[in-house]
């Protein structure tokens, strides 16, 4: 069912975002460590910056997951009501 207000009431797939940020955190952390050992400080810093971004995203996702089903789309969660005019 489309109501025409999807950009306003859009919800994020938090479980998918959780696993993608965890995957990014693991790989960017490993990349930062590997580039540090290979004496490539520029690439290590870039990977560390991506790791920080992934960690912040992971924290936001976990906070929203703990806030309850209002933020988690699912089959048992009805769509938001269209705004009144």
């Amino acid at each position: 069912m489309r109501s025409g207000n999807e950009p306003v009431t859009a919800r994020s797939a938090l479980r998918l975002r959780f696993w993608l940020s965890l995957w990014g955190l693991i790989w960017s952390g490993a990349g930062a460590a590997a580039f540090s050992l290979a004496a490539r400080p520029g690439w290590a810093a870039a990977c560390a910056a991506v790791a920080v971004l992934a960690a912040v995203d992971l924290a936001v996702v976990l906070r929203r997951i703990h806030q309850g089903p209002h933020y988690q789309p699912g089959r048992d969660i009805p769509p938001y009501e269209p705004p009144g005019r």
Side-chain angles (χ1 to χ4, degrees), residues 18-82:
F18 169 79
W19 289 112
L20 287 174
S21 11
L22 186 63
W23 183 256
L25 181 63
I26 290 169
W27 278 101
S28 57
F35 282 123
S36 291
L37 293 174
R40 300 280 188 172
W43 285 102
C47 286
V50 171
V52 168
L53 289 174
V56 168
D57 186 45
L58 192 61
V60 168
V61 167
L62 286 174
R63 180 175 178 268
R64 291 217 176 137
I65 285 175
H66 287 295
Q67 285 178 340
H70 177 71
Y71 290 99
Q72 299 177 53
R75 294 175 193 201
D76 55 337
I77 306 300
Y80 290 117
E81 293 294 321

